[in-house]
Structure formats: structure tokens, C-alpha cells
Amino acid sequence: MVDINTVGRTFNIQRYSIADGPGIRTTIFVKGCPLSCKWCSNPESQSKERQIAYRNTQCKACGKCVAACPKQCMTLDEDGIHIDRTVCDVCGTCVKKCLPGALSFSGKDMTAQEAFKVVMRDKDYYEKDGGCTCSGGEILMQPDFVAAIFAQCRENGIHTNADTCGCGSEEAMRKILEYSDMVFFDLKHMDSAEHKRMTGVGNEQILKNLDICMHSDAQVVIRVPLIKGFNDTDENITAMCETLKKIGGQTPIISVLPYHNYGENKYRMIDEVYELTDMEPPSQETKDHVKELIESLGFECRVE
Ligand code: SF4
Ligand code: SF4
């Protein structure tokens, strides 16, 4: 049973996406994630709270926001604006004062019905295999909202894809799966201690939810962010494939996502520090090797 009036918090809705599942899709990104992956390209997605985002490329250094802030928690220096986020109450006074648009809100609340109306705007473009993807952040943190969007999609013949890191309750996973045609399931590392070192959380609960997905009616695609020196070893890739075979249920496609640093500038937007500044993308040789290894272990592999 779903309630289309369930309110969720999003940080983006992307229309005409071709990277979040088959065909042309509308992707709803929900805000809040239990993981804090060091390579995350959407750092603004991690906090469930609404935040003020700052783009220093658009800032004219006029200081009007600093003067207007009722909490006096903004400063301006040669690097632009800084916000003391322990004091900021996200009142939005600074956003209104900033005519060049350097300041904005990250986080918008809406009902599942409102989100679905956005999805419906592009129904004519979905054709037979496009549809709606819910991503994050982490969808398992807002299962009622996501399930209510997907239920409306189902009623209207729109394909649904649940993009998850798998970290959430089994009840939340089942709730979303009930209305999911496809699942993009992230697997980052098979060793829980290593997983925790780079994401802040062990992988035990993730593997429980993986089991549930693999034995569901939804088509599972395993997504592996390939991070040099973290999860690109033969040992880890082999352990991942062996785990998938042991779980059984279906033989998923494994989609490898080579590390990139496109999100690095977003850390400055929310006054956070990107730790992987020296990280390089995996070489072509590594990508080819990982693909060959996965295929030799019996899985179809795509390197995105
Ligand atoms: S949102 Fe309000 S409290 Fe926060 S920095 Fe802007 S003006 Fe100050
Ligand atoms: S009001 Fe906008 S443009 Fe002016 S200093 Fe603040 S962020 Fe920069």
C-alpha cells in the first residue's frame, strides 16, 4: 500500500537521462545517504538536510549576502564565500540577496504525486524501454516516497529502475522492489573492513539486500565503481563474482564504472574537502583486464 502524498526530499530531477537505465529516462535523485564514499561525485546528496550551495564561478564578491545574513555566519575572502554550517539555519536570506545566482538551495521537498507529474511530462519519449529511475543519495532512506512514485509509474506502464547502494533495511528494500522492474545495485568491495575504510560503512547489510534483489523479479545490474588501489584487484573482483554465483537467483550483467573526478568542484559548493585529489582514473589496461576477468568468471561485463 503506497501513499502518493508521501513527502520526499530530492536534490535533482534530471530529464532526458540516457545513463540511468535503458532508453530515455527521468531520474529523480533523493537526498540523504548512509554512505560517504570518498569518490562520491554528488557530495550534496549525502546529507538529508537542506543546504545552501555556493558556486564561486558565479560569485561577484559583492558581499550583499554577508551583510544580510541574520545569523552572521558568512565570510568573504579571496576564495569567495564561506558559510559556518554549524550556525546556518538555511533561512535563504542570502539566496534571495544573490542576484548572480551563486547561492542556491540543495534539497527540495515534494510529494510522490508531484514527482510523478514531472515523470509524466516526458512519457512520450520513453517509448518501449525508457522510463523512470530513482537514484540518490540513497533511495532506501526514503522507501515510502520512492515506492509511491514507482507504483504510479506501474499503473501507467512506465518502466522503473531502482538505483541503490544497498545500505538500508530489508523492509525498505522489499517495499521498493515491489514496484521495480530493474535494480542498479552498487557493489564496492567484498571485504567489509575495506568497504568501511572508503565508504564509512561495512558491507554486511548491503549483501543481505543484494540477496533479496537477486531473488526478486526485478532485473539486477551490478554496478562497480572501479577505484585504483581500492577495489581493482583480482582478489576483489573474483570474490565479487564468486559471491554473486553463491547467492544465485539470476546472472546479472556487471557494469564497471571507472573512477572520475567530475564531482571534485562540488565539494567546495558545500564547504567540504575532496580527499582524493591525487587519485587517477584506472588505465585502459586495468579496465580491459577487469572486463576479461569478469567475463572469464561467467558474467557479461560492460565498462561504462
Ligand atoms: S541561509 Fe540564512 S543563515 Fe544560512 S548563510 Fe544564508 S542567510 Fe545566513
Ligand atoms: S551575494 Fe552572491 S555574488 Fe554577492 S558575494 Fe554573496 S554569493 Fe557572491
Side-chain angles (χ1 to χ4, degrees):
M1 196 55 188
V2 297
D3 179 358
I4 60 173
N5 294 312
T6 304
V7 175
R9 182 162 289 170
T10 64
F11 71 94
N12 189 17
I13 297 184
Q14 190 174 346
R15 297 165 69 190
Y16 313 117
S17 168
I18 53 166
D20 298 312
I24 295 171
R25 313 189 70 82
T26 296
T27 303
I28 298 167
F29 292 90
V30 300
K31 193 160 159 52
C33 183
L35 269 54
S36 45
C37 304
K38 291 185 191 294
W39 59 87
C40 180
S41 57
N42 287 320
E44 76 278 29
S45 75
Q46 292 181 358
S47 170
K48 177 87 195 289
E49 304 303 322
R50 293 180 82 218
Q51 293 164 296
I52 300 294
Y54 168 67
R55 285 179 196 275
N56 57 0
T57 49
Q58 283 173 252
C59 178
K60 308 292 181 211
C62 66
K64 286 182 182 164
C65 54
V66 177
C69 174
K71 295 280 183 181
Q72 298 180 324
C73 62
M74 306 183 91
T75 49
L76 174 62
D77 64 19
E78 64 281 354
D79 186 37
I81 289 294
H82 301 272
I83 300 173
D84 181 347
R85 291 168 192 273
T86 62
V87 178
C88 170
D89 64 0
V90 200
C91 70
T93 304
C94 56
V95 177
K96 283 188 206 132
K97 286 286 172 188
C98 183
L99 297 182
L103 294 164
S104 61
F105 288 107
S106 174
K108 181 177 179 184
D109 292 348
M110 60 174 65
T111 65
Q113 186 177 34
E114 288 166 338
F116 177 67
K117 279 185 184 160
V118 180
V119 174
M120 283 298 280
R121 282 187 209 160
D122 299 315
K123 188 173 190 299
D124 291 346
Y125 293 95
Y126 301 150
E127 297 182 337
K128 66 174 177 15
D129 57 354
C132 171
T133 298
C134 282
S135 183
E138 175 45 47
I139 57 172
L140 295 177
M141 289 186 77
Q142 301 189 52
D144 295 323
F145 178 61
V146 173
I149 296 169
F150 279 0
Q152 293 172 91
C153 291
R154 272 274 166 91
E155 273 178 26
N156 287 274
I158 296 172
H159 182 272
T160 56
N161 184 18
D163 183 5
T164 179
C165 74
C167 190
S169 73
E170 289 143 78
E171 184 191 0
M173 189 78 254
R174 286 198 174 90
K175 192 172 280 182
I176 292 174
L177 268 179
E178 192 176 342
Y179 304 100
S180 300
D181 298 312
M182 177 176 262
V183 178
F184 275 6
F185 199 107
D186 292 357
L187 273 187
K188 294 168 173 116
H189 206 294
M190 301 317 295
D191 180 88
S192 189
E194 269 300 281
H195 196 282
K196 186 167 185 178
R197 181 175 72 83
M198 292 294 273
T199 72
V201 180
N203 67 8
E204 290 81 1
Q205 188 60 31
I206 292 168
L207 294 178
K208 283 184 190 168
N209 280 326
L210 174 64
D211 194 311
I212 292 171
C213 291
M214 291 277 279
H215 290 277
S216 75
D217 292 333
Q219 181 193 353
V220 176
V221 175
I222 300 296
R223 308 242 291 176
V224 184
L226 194 64
I227 317 292
K228 193 174 170 185
F230 168 57
N231 64 356
D232 61 347
T233 62
D234 286 7
E235 185 189 7
N236 181 57
I237 299 294
T238 303
M240 177 185 70
C241 292
E242 293 305 328
T243 300
L244 290 169
K245 283 184 193 170
K246 199 168 153 198
I247 291 174
Q250 57 181 290
T251 305
I253 294 169
I254 297 178
S255 174
V256 174
L257 310 164
Y259 164 82
H260 60 72
N261 64 356
Y262 303 156
E264 186 171 348
N265 290 340
K266 289 186 170 182
Y267 284 73
R268 170 68 180 96
M269 286 170 67
I270 51 171
D271 290 301
E272 288 191 3
V273 176
Y274 187 67
E275 288 183 41
L276 301 187
T277 43
D278 295 330
M279 176 66 73
E280 290 172 8
S283 65
Q284 190 59 47
E285 193 184 354
T286 300
K287 290 186 279 188
D288 291 345
H289 175 71
V290 166
K291 181 172 162 54
E292 275 171 30
L293 179 57
I294 290 171
E295 287 172 347
S296 74
L297 291 165
F299 293 88
E300 183 181 337
C301 177
R302 294 179 195 155
V303 178
E304 304 293 341

